[in-house]
Amino acid sequence: MTSPKPETLLDLLEVGKPGDIALLAPDGPSLTYEDLRRQVHDLGEQLRGLGVAREDRVLFALPNGIEAIVAFLGVSSVATAGPLNPGYRPEEFRFYMEDTSHKALITPADDGEAARGVALDGVLQIAASCDSDGAVTLTCRQPASCATTERPAPDDPALVLHTSGTTSRPKRVPLRHKNLAASAVNIRDTYALTPEDVSLCVMPLFHVHGIVASLLAALLSGGTVVAPPRFSANGFWPMAERYGVSWFTAVPSMHQALLARSANQPPAVPQELRFIRSCSSPLAADVMLAMEDRFGVPALEAYGMTEAAHQMTSNPLPPGERLPGSVGPGTGVEVAIMDDAGRLLPGGDRGEVVIRGRNVIDGYEDNPQANADSFAGGWFRTGDEGTLDEQGYLTLTGRLKELINRSGEKISPWELDQVLMAHPAVAEAVCFAAPHPMHGEEPAAAVVLAGAATERDLIRHCRDRVAAFKAPRKIHILDQIPKTATGKVQRRLVAEAVLGTNA
């Protein structure tokens, strides 16, 4: 029997058997596939009744759980979904709202004041609530005319996300139904997911990792997604054992937290657990081996990015070979190495990692310069440096882009530059990545002052304006910012000068 290959997210939802459990909230309601399909249809109808049409965008800031999942699938069935981190500060919400033309904003009925408080004039403000049976309803006080929307086509946008820029504002990434469906197929096939599998979704559902790997691939398999409101190292294994979790995917810092928590007493790992997946930031070889020793199952590192609708490569399940330090071969995605001139390099040579496949975007939105820089001869330039061995296994050796990767969250140093430059005492500001033992990297900054301010003042200024994970923990006050011989600022050089050559 041939595994189904959906073209849209609605196709993807048709795979699960009607009576099987699709979604489950710990200590809360559960939805069968029949329930989920009905709710997605009903929510789409509610949005049509509010005048939302295919060309519209609907932003939402909802915590992990059934509401966020139904909202995403319902919105994408009739329009384009734009999930936002519910932990953003008002200034961050305002940026994404202004940058993403949208028809409506969905927030929790009992929360979401930070987002609602900066909502743009004319935008429909919708409150989402979920009852004890898992039924999600929308409430909107503003009148709107009914819209007619056809079933989505493969080329219709389903999701819009932002990818952080290094020297300019974040770029909008429109992901089409076909991109997301293709990536979900790749992930399902890579890990041989079946209706018997149970996924524990601990990645945030405003992040492509959580949306595609934790959610869509699991639903495409016909399996069950357990969706707690947040990750907790303390409660993780009891929850996994309680629900018979067979796999989960997370960032390395979460894996390290689970290792640290189980250092004194081995956890009760569910007997159903088949493998653990790691993605979104580098997994140290010693951490991978420690995970396998402690938890008794293969630890599989994968490589993904927003522009590829998440997964591009992965170490395979046994009996396939998994290589510590490698992110594995392409998974339904062509992977190659390219030089600066756009020439493909032979195996073993180091250069920029490039990809192509049905999961990869056609281009950034309204950004011709980024598209000219990022596409070459039909290949997408990832901005990562690496090598391919004779078996096609990819090893990443560095980043050409200067994004800060904190536990899989890509942070724009340019965005933090702008935040610091808004302080009246700051004359110059350069943000960069600093090493961190748990998160891999974290934001740091170097500033030159034109007035009186302390490091504590500047850190507080940042924390008042950006989400906690973005705010620099260390800000170095300098007499001058290190520059190249031609007077240019290079973040790597600033980091080396401030932190030392091993930074």
Side-chain angles (χ1 to χ4, degrees):
M1 179 178 175
T2 303
S3 297
K5 294 206 172 179
E7 293 290 312
T8 71
L9 299 190
L10 287 185
D11 297 340
L12 181 150
L13 291 180
E14 295 299 322
V15 175
K17 294 180 180 179
D20 287 353
I21 299 298
L23 303 177
L24 191 156
D27 300 316
S30 62
L31 297 181
T32 65
Y33 275 91
E34 183 177 16
D35 295 332
L36 178 59
R37 289 191 279 265
R38 183 179 64 252
Q39 287 222 39
V40 168
H41 174 269
D42 290 349
L43 189 142
E45 289 297 310
Q46 290 183 67
L47 291 170
R48 288 190 185 100
L50 292 170
V52 173
R54 173 67 56 208
E55 67 273 11
D56 291 326
R57 288 178 172 170
V58 178
L59 303 184
F60 57 92
L62 298 169
N64 269 30
I66 288 177
E67 289 165 275
I69 293 170
V70 173
F72 164 61
L73 294 170
V75 169
S76 65
S77 72
V78 298
T80 302
L84 299 176
N85 183 343
Y88 278 153
R89 301 292 190 187
E91 290 82 358
E92 293 168 299
F93 279 122
R94 184 180 292 110
F95 167 81
Y96 290 110
M97 290 176 187
E98 291 176 348
D99 194 65
T100 309
S101 300
H102 58 291
K103 174 85 170 185
L105 169 69
I106 302 176
T107 55
D110 58 353
D111 199 357
E113 292 181 7
R116 290 196 300 271
V118 294
L120 305 181
D121 292 341
V123 168
L124 296 173
Q125 294 201 38
I126 301 171
S129 59
C130 181
D131 66 20
S132 59
D133 294 324
V136 177
T137 57
L138 303 180
T139 304
C140 181
R141 296 180 180 177
Q142 296 150 276
S145 58
C146 185
T148 300
T149 304
E150 299 295 327
R151 186 179 177 90
D155 282 320
D156 285 336
L159 174 67
V160 62
L161 297 171
H162 282 77
T163 187
S164 298
T166 58
T167 59
S168 60
R169 63 193 290 119
K171 300 183 286 289
R172 289 193 302 278
V173 182
L175 289 163
R176 304 181 189 279
H177 279 265
K178 67 179 182 182
N179 301 141
L180 295 166
S183 192
V185 168
N186 292 341
I187 295 168
R188 178 199 63 187
D189 293 350
T190 298
Y191 306 113
L193 302 178
T194 73
E196 284 70 46
D197 278 305
V198 178
S199 164
L200 184 53
C201 177
V202 293
M203 288 299 297
L205 290 169
F206 53 79
H207 192 287
V208 72
H209 183 163
I211 293 169
V212 182
S214 296
L215 177 64
L216 296 183
L219 293 177
L220 178 60
S221 75
T224 298
V225 178
V226 179
R230 65 188 63 84
F231 169 74
S232 167
N234 291 343
F236 182 90
W237 288 116
M239 184 184 299
E241 185 180 31
R242 176 181 176 186
Y243 295 108
V245 167
S246 62
W247 73 282
F248 68 94
T249 181
V251 292
S253 61
M254 291 179 175
H255 298 312
Q256 288 178 282
L258 293 175
L259 281 172
R261 180 66 184 170
S262 63
N264 297 325
Q265 182 176 356
V269 176
Q271 62 180 6
E272 297 88 350
L273 191 67
R274 296 199 293 121
F275 68 94
I276 298 171
R277 180 179 184 270
S278 184
C279 196
S280 296
S281 61
L283 180 69
D286 61 339
V287 174
M288 170 191 158
L289 296 173
M291 289 167 60
E292 295 195 342
D293 179 65
R294 188 77 51 81
F295 306 136
V297 295
L300 308 177
E301 183 174 13
Y303 170 46
M305 65 189 308
T306 303
E307 292 91 334
H310 191 45
Q311 183 168 293
M312 300 177 286
T313 73
S314 177
N315 277 277
L317 286 167
E321 184 179 12
R322 57 192 185 281
L323 299 179
S326 168
V327 292
T331 54
V333 184
E334 289 185 80
V335 182
I337 303 298
M338 183 178 283
D339 67 12
D340 292 342
R343 295 184 294 261
L344 296 181
L345 299 174
D349 282 13
R350 180 182 297 188
E352 184 171 8
V353 180
V354 294
I355 57 168
R356 63 184 179 188
R358 191 168 175 80
N359 58 309
V360 182
I361 63 168
D362 303 320
Y364 297 107
E365 187 174 83
D366 298 332
N367 201 328
Q369 185 58 56
N371 289 330
D373 294 341
S374 299
F375 291 87
W379 295 88
F380 176 76
R381 293 179 175 271
T382 66
D384 292 320
E385 184 184 68
T387 61
L388 284 171
D389 69 12
E390 294 178 354
Q391 286 72 45
Y393 278 63
L394 175 65
T395 298
L396 299 175
T397 56
R399 277 206 320 281
L400 301 174
K401 297 178 180 178
E402 295 174 311
L403 296 177
I404 303 164
N405 187 344
R406 183 183 186 274
S407 289
E409 288 287 357
K410 308 304 191 298
I411 301 168
S412 167
W414 174 85
E415 179 186 357
L416 296 179
D417 290 350
Q418 306 309 304
V419 171
L420 280 167
M421 288 298 294
H423 192 286
V426 174
E428 292 182 83
V430 179
C431 294
F432 51 86
H436 190 278
M438 176 67 77
H439 300 296
E441 296 177 341
E442 68 174 359
V447 301
V448 174
L449 297 179
T454 65
E455 181 187 18
R456 181 178 295 181
D457 294 336
L458 299 178
I459 290 174
R460 186 183 304 113
H461 169 83
C462 292
R463 289 179 176 172
D464 287 344
R465 288 160 178 79
V466 298
F469 73 88
K470 292 183 186 178
R473 271 64 170 175
K474 181 68 178 176
I475 298 178
H476 304 265
I477 299 175
L478 308 178
D479 292 332
Q480 60 182 14
I481 298 292
K483 296 181 175 65
T484 67
T486 58
K488 294 182 179 179
V489 173
Q490 292 187 354
R491 297 184 195 277
R492 290 183 180 179
L493 294 180
V494 176
E496 290 173 3
V498 173
L499 303 175
T501 56
N502 294 326

